[in-house]
Amino acid sequence: MNILDYIHEGKEDAITREELRFLTELSDRTIRELIEQERRNGVIILNLQDGRGYYRPAPEDLVDILKQYRQNDSRAKSILVQQKYLRRILKFAGVKV
């Protein structure tokens, strides 16, 4: 089963994880892992956190690609800030990271 069979091109054909769970009969966790695996393979799958769900953008859909880029960038920076404080605590406790 290929998760891309269910994630189509275009925002108008976006699919939610709930719909994916119903159609594939897979767990939410498995669906997220399959989507992440496709993304690691270079497939662009957008989810703009607007409730519409997942879709693959058309090549000319640069506005949504930029929105996803900025969303991911913000999330990554937030995680890195938290890492700094976690690393500081671990280092103070003598734990090698």
Side-chain angles (χ1 to χ4, degrees), residues 21-62:
R21 281 196 328 261
F22 176 77
L23 292 171
T24 64
E25 299 181 354
L26 297 172
S27 71
D28 186 65
R29 180 180 209 87
T30 299
I31 289 168
R32 286 184 285 122
E33 288 171 353
L34 290 171
I35 290 169
E36 184 58 31
Q37 182 178 14
E38 292 297 337
R39 286 174 167 164
R40 280 191 303 260
N41 289 333
V43 178
I44 304 299
I45 299 173
L46 303 184
N47 181 347
L48 300 178
Q49 304 300 314
D50 59 4
R52 293 183 181 186
Y54 295 94
Y55 65 98
R56 290 182 281 153
E60 66 275 2
D61 198 4
L62 296 178

Side-chain angles (χ1 to χ4, degrees), residues 3 5 7 10 12 14 17 19-20 24-26 29 33 38 43 52 58 61-62 65 68 72-73 75 78-79 85 88:
I3 197 71
D5 293 339
I7 301 175
E12 63 281 352
R17 281 204 321 257
E19 292 169 320
L20 285 168
T24 64
E25 299 181 354
L26 297 172
R29 180 180 209 87
E33 288 171 353
E38 292 297 337
V43 178
R52 293 183 181 186
D61 198 4
L62 296 178
I65 293 170
Q68 183 75 57
N72 291 354
D73 191 59
R75 182 176 292 136
S78 176
I79 290 169
Y85 295 109
R88 184 178 295 162

Side-chain angles (χ1 to χ4, degrees), residues 52-91:
R52 293 183 181 186
Y54 295 94
Y55 65 98
R56 290 182 281 153
E60 66 275 2
D61 198 4
L62 296 178
V63 171
D64 283 350
I65 293 170
L66 180 59
K67 285 179 185 177
Q68 183 75 57
Y69 175 85
R70 288 181 175 157
Q71 180 179 293
N72 291 354
D73 191 59
S74 177
R75 182 176 292 136
K77 286 176 182 173
S78 176
I79 290 169
L80 287 174
V81 167
Q82 184 182 29
Q83 289 292 84
K84 177 175 74 172
Y85 295 109
L86 295 172
R87 184 174 37 255
R88 184 178 295 162
I89 290 168
L90 292 169
K91 191 174 182 179

